[in-house]
Amino acid sequence: MSRSVGPHTADRCPRCSVEAVQRGVPMTVEGCDVICYRCGHCAKAWTRPVEDDLEVYDIVRVDLHDTTLCGTVWHVEDDRIQVRGSGGEWLLWAERWRVILY
Ligand SMILES: [Zn+2]
């Protein structure tokens, strides 16, 4: 990856395989914190659990509102994660639910 700051990364729908940018919505289902996605093509809805075992130096993807970033976990707090871009180009805090382990 030549740039660590790029556009959104598309996800593939588990039912129809159409790839699209998914804006996940955090919610609680049966006591578990999950992120809910919905396919704009076939209306399939699915969830992924919030990552609860992130550690420093893990490689992660961060789904921000306006972009998708890839970086390294730098600090871990209860509900937020600090992520560092390759070479230290950027350093940001993101809500834990936005961070996906690679
Ligand atoms: Zn679909």
Side-chain angles (χ1 to χ4, degrees):
M1 195 175 301
S2 58
R3 282 174 61 83
S4 55
V5 179
H8 282 288
T9 300
D11 287 313
R12 187 182 296 272
C13 170
R15 179 196 279 164
C16 71
S17 295
V18 167
E19 288 192 6
V21 172
Q22 295 287 343
R23 295 187 190 282
V25 179
M27 58 180 64
T28 301
V29 176
E30 295 176 355
C32 296
D33 293 327
V34 299
I35 300 89
C36 186
Y37 300 95
R38 179 177 293 273
C39 176
H41 183 72
C42 71
K44 163 84 174 169
W46 70 95
T47 61
R48 69 169 174 86
V50 173
E51 306 281 4
D52 61 3
D53 58 352
L54 292 168
E55 294 181 15
V56 172
Y57 300 132
D58 281 345
I59 304 300
V60 294
R61 166 179 149 187
V62 188
D63 275 346
L64 298 175
H65 181 69
D66 54 356
T67 190
T68 303
L69 302 175
C70 286
T72 306
V73 173
W74 214 241
H75 281 289
V76 177
E77 293 188 354
D78 283 349
D79 57 355
R80 62 178 195 156
I81 306 292
Q82 190 177 42
V83 181
R84 182 180 187 267
S86 62
E89 292 171 38
W90 47 267
L91 193 62
L92 62 81
W93 287 99
E95 296 118 304
R96 178 180 285 264
W97 68 268
R98 296 183 181 278
V99 178
I100 304 171
L101 188 63
Y102 254 17

